[in-house]
Amino acid sequence: MKKKKMTTAFGKPVGDDLNSQTAGEKGPVLVQDMHLLEKLAHFDRERIPERVVHAKGAGAYGYFEVTADVTKYTKAAFLSEVGKKTDLFVRFSTVGGEKGSADAERDPRGFAIKFYTEEGNYDMVGNNTPVFFIRDPMKFPDFIHTQKRNPATNLKDPDMFWDFLSLTPESIHQVTILFSDRGTPITFRHMNGYSSHTYKWYNEKGEYVWVQYHFKTDQGSKTMTAAEAGAMCAKDPDHATRDLHESIKNGDFPSWTLEMQILTPRQAKDFKWDIFDITKVWPHSEVPPITVGKMVLNRNPENYFAEVEQAAFTPGNLVPGIGASPDKMLQGRMFSYHDTHLHRLGTNYQLIPVNMPKNAPELNYQRDGAMRVDDGGGGGPNYWPNSFGTAGPDETALEPPLPIEGNAAQHSYKLVDDDFVQAGNLYRNVMSEQDRVNLTRNIIGHLSGAQKRIQLRQAAIFYKTDKDYGTRIAKGLELDLAKVEKLANMNQADRVKATAS
Ligand code: NDP
Ligand code: HEM
């Protein structure tokens, strides 16, 4: 084979890549050494901003296969036929840690899928939990600040963490899942993925239903105890990244079964739970999931930076047949992701191959900008309407209208006792005694780092969720149980006042 020759970024052959050009044997180095200058300048710019959340992750390619006829619910082309396969890219991640943090940390896990459909890219940007800590996007930046580092010490801070959560009691459902062993899945392959939000599916006739996605792991849901996870953080901070890569390399392709929960608008109207509140699930007994398809991951990326670090998902990437719901958090996310990609990757990030709509090439009149590396529309018209017969809008891609009414205002969710019911059901009815022992031990270990008044406020929330739950936490933290019970019986405003300082 002919030996390939090294070149500069602009293709000039490189004569020496080991020694800088110097004036005389001992230097100094000459500015005319363009290869050296180019090499150092490029190195200086190797890093792009890390994701503000979900910075540590691993990705893989695969496909989705439809296994049930869902055409009465959605006209999405990629879901139009049993047996139809669509290429996809997945990125799994932790949330709060930096790019070098350990895969085994207690955290929700991101579960983001990019389907390369013939009607454009469809992104399902979910987590491994069916609910979330908050339900209004206004709270997201504050919430994330409390999960990251203290501004003074640059350390993780139990006071910030529990102060915010105890002032945000709608977080209790997600907190209970996070501190159970589901907060430390054994690998990315052994966890479920959920849309968490409600989305809309609509069919050819314009009829719509509300849906939630559940990608159930075919590997079985497996978790680590806190002790096992702690040991894993020390032994191999990249264990889940390694596991995903190696299992695919060895031909052991992980897969997930997609189950959907579906509610008609009429069912949704009379439903016990607010279907747009992301802190709630739809109980399986009331909305039994139906199996719809299968996702298989079978190919590793070749270059981590190009394909995984530069991958850009947004819940706003929807295709005809799939729409957003009024869920306030989802609406906030529909702004945030595209916006952060413009900052993290640049104006034309859709041209990065992993993000390209490869089965439905971009055709519009958006032009130019930094790194417009294709022909930018060539010499064709750069405006619409035009009378030169170029691409125009297609009415059939319009979404059916959704009636909305009410006053424009900053409406708050009413803080109601309902917020504690599902977390209580999880604790009482789903968890085994061993799960409850592990859960309460994990909470006590973390909450013990916070101030006593914050411990009391949060213990009262556990007590309100379930007496046994709160009692175990109070005992483990050596709190006055009578005080915890009294706080649990107050409304949130009085509880906050009583634990103000
Ligand atoms: P079901 O008894 O029908 O289902 C229980 C669900 O809980 C299963 O999906 C199971 O997942 C999951 N699960 C088991 N252990 C944990 C854990 N430690 N943390 C989180 N999830 C766990 O219950 P319901 O539908 O009536 O819901 C009861 C509670 O179960 C809910 O309040 C919610 O906390 C939890 N749950 C409900 C889901 C839903 O969409 N209805 C989804 C996930 C959790 P798996 O199948 O993988 O074992
Ligand atoms: C990543 C914002 C809630 C799942 C991100 C990123 C931002 C963000 C800015 C970084 C994206 C990037 O740089 O590529 C928000 C906001 C939220 C919110 C503002 C609430 C208002 C959620 C929820 C979920 C979720 C509820 C899950 C249901 C993810 C995932 C990623 C991510 C999986 C990583 C995507 C990847 O792998 O590249 N989020 N988020 N987020 N978020 Fe959220």
Side-chain angles (χ1 to χ4, degrees), residues 3-64:
K3 216 172 139 199
K4 286 194 178 146
K5 288 187 180 157
M6 182 189 284
T7 72
T8 66
F10 299 96
K12 181 185 158 204
V14 171
D16 183 345
D17 192 47
L18 297 176
N19 302 296
S20 317
Q21 263 187 53
T22 49
E25 205 176 323
K26 303 264 181 232
V29 171
L30 297 179
V31 167
Q32 70 181 19
D33 187 346
M34 290 310 292
H35 175 51
L36 173 70
L37 299 192
E38 177 195 288
K39 190 172 177 178
L40 290 180
H42 195 276
F43 173 75
D44 293 346
R45 291 163 178 77
E46 275 183 9
R47 294 288 174 274
I48 58 173
E50 69 173 33
R51 288 168 176 82
V52 62
V53 279
H54 295 260
K56 175 79 188 292
Y61 295 94
Y63 65 86
F64 178 78

Side-chain angles (χ1 to χ4, degrees), residues 49-55 57-58 90-95 109-112 124-129 131-132 134 136-138 140-141 144 194-197 278 308-309 311-313 315 328-333 336-337 340-341 344-345:
E50 69 173 33
R51 288 168 176 82
V52 62
V53 279
H54 295 260
V90 169
R91 183 173 178 272
F92 302 120
S93 48
T94 49
V95 182
R109 302 291 187 270
F111 197 108
M124 206 299 301
V125 199
N127 277 342
N128 71 332
T129 62
V131 293
F132 202 68
I134 51 169
D136 191 307
M138 191 71 101
F140 189 77
I144 292 300
Y194 302 91
S195 61
S196 316
H197 298 286
I278 192 175
V308 186
E309 192 58 14
F313 300 86
K328 300 178 193 189
M329 284 278 287
L330 174 60
Q331 297 279 328
R333 293 180 72 199
S336 189
Y337 290 67
T340 202
H341 301 328
R344 187 168 72 84
L345 300 164

Side-chain angles (χ1 to χ4, degrees), residues 157-191:
D157 184 340
D159 272 346
M160 287 164 62
F161 187 97
W162 291 106
D163 192 30
F164 182 86
L165 293 176
S166 62
L167 294 170
T168 313
E170 68 268 28
S171 62
I172 184 63
H173 196 177
Q174 176 76 320
V175 165
T176 303
I177 296 176
L178 177 65
F179 279 88
S180 79
D181 288 344
R182 296 245 168 163
T184 47
I186 193 161
T187 76
F188 292 137
R189 292 182 300 126
H190 295 91
M191 62 188 199

Side-chain angles (χ1 to χ4, degrees), residues 130 173 177 180 182 192 194 214 216 221 261 281-284 422 426 430-431:
H173 196 177
I177 296 176
S180 79
R182 296 245 168 163
N192 300 330
Y194 302 91
H214 303 243
K216 303 295 289 277
S221 180
Q261 284 186 298
V281 296
W282 302 355
H284 290 132
Q422 293 198 347
L426 174 63
V430 178
M431 290 188 175

Side-chain angles (χ1 to χ4, degrees), residues 194-481:
Y194 302 91
S195 61
S196 316
H197 298 286
T198 296
Y199 286 88
K200 191 196 318 165
W201 272 10
Y202 54 93
N203 65 16
E204 288 288 358
K205 294 187 214 152
E207 299 157 337
Y208 69 89
V209 287
W210 301 112
V211 299
Q212 294 209 340
Y213 296 61
H214 303 243
F215 285 86
K216 303 295 289 277
T217 171
D218 294 332
Q219 290 67 241
S221 180
K222 293 193 186 140
T223 57
M224 291 184 277
T225 63
E228 288 165 345
M232 186 57 87
C233 288
K235 185 175 151 217
D236 183 1
D238 305 313
H239 85 280
T241 304
R242 192 183 316 283
D243 172 83
L244 182 68
H245 183 87
E246 286 183 356
S247 65
I248 293 175
K249 193 168 105 189
N250 296 333
D252 178 11
F253 301 142
S255 64
W256 284 259
T257 299
L258 173 59
E259 296 178 357
M260 300 296 297
Q261 284 186 298
I262 299 178
L263 280 174
T264 62
R266 183 190 288 268
Q267 289 171 318
K269 215 162 141 259
D270 303 326
F271 200 57
K272 175 169 178 355
W273 303 101
D274 176 349
I275 64 161
F276 305 126
D277 174 350
I278 192 175
T279 68
K280 307 292 185 304
V281 296
W282 302 355
H284 290 132
S285 53
E286 288 167 57
V287 194
I290 58 164
T291 298
V292 159
K294 193 178 183 71
M295 174 171 85
V296 178
L297 299 182
N298 58 10
R299 182 161 64 88
N300 279 319
E302 286 180 11
N303 183 284
Y304 184 86
F305 179 84
E307 296 158 80
V308 186
E309 192 58 14
Q310 294 197 106
F313 300 86
T314 165
N317 276 347
L318 302 168
V319 289
I322 303 178
S325 75
D327 176 339
K328 300 178 193 189
M329 284 278 287
L330 174 60
Q331 297 279 328
R333 293 180 72 199
M334 289 174 78
F335 163 73
S336 189
Y337 290 67
H338 178 60
D339 182 58
T340 202
H341 301 328
L342 296 176
H343 154 70
R344 187 168 72 84
L345 300 164
T347 316
N348 284 303
Y349 71 90
Q350 80 283 6
L351 297 177
I352 297 170
V354 69
N355 298 326
M356 255 189 179
K358 63 175 183 173
N359 293 323
E362 181 190 4
L363 218 46
N364 58 42
Y365 302 92
Q366 290 155 36
R367 289 290 184 270
D368 309 344
M371 302 306 290
R372 183 84 225 188
V373 292
D374 64 355
D375 75 351
N382 58 0
Y383 60 94
W384 179 264
N386 72 55
S387 57
F388 293 99
T390 58
D394 170 9
E395 272 182 11
T396 65
L398 285 173
E399 221 178 291
L402 181 71
I404 304 274
E405 58 182 34
N407 298 329
Q410 291 187 263
H411 299 280
S412 65
Y413 274 94
K414 304 284 167 288
L415 280 181
V416 283
D417 284 350
D418 263 11
D419 287 337
F420 304 89
V421 173
Q422 293 198 347
N425 288 342
L426 174 63
Y427 182 83
R428 283 182 298 271
N429 307 334
V430 178
M431 290 188 175
S432 65
E433 176 53 20
Q434 189 59 55
D435 290 338
R436 287 189 281 264
V437 168
N438 294 2
L439 166 73
T440 47
R441 190 173 44 209
N442 297 340
I443 292 171
I444 292 161
H446 198 286
L447 184 53
S448 61
Q451 297 175 19
K452 270 281 171 261
R453 66 185 180 92
I454 297 176
Q455 290 181 13
L456 277 167
R457 194 192 300 142
Q458 183 66 43
I461 289 170
F462 292 126
Y463 193 91
K464 204 168 163 54
T465 304
D466 183 278
K467 265 191 189 172
D468 174 68
Y469 191 4
T471 305
R472 291 191 201 201
I473 301 290
K475 282 193 176 154
L477 292 169
E478 297 177 359
L479 299 173
D480 178 345
L481 190 58

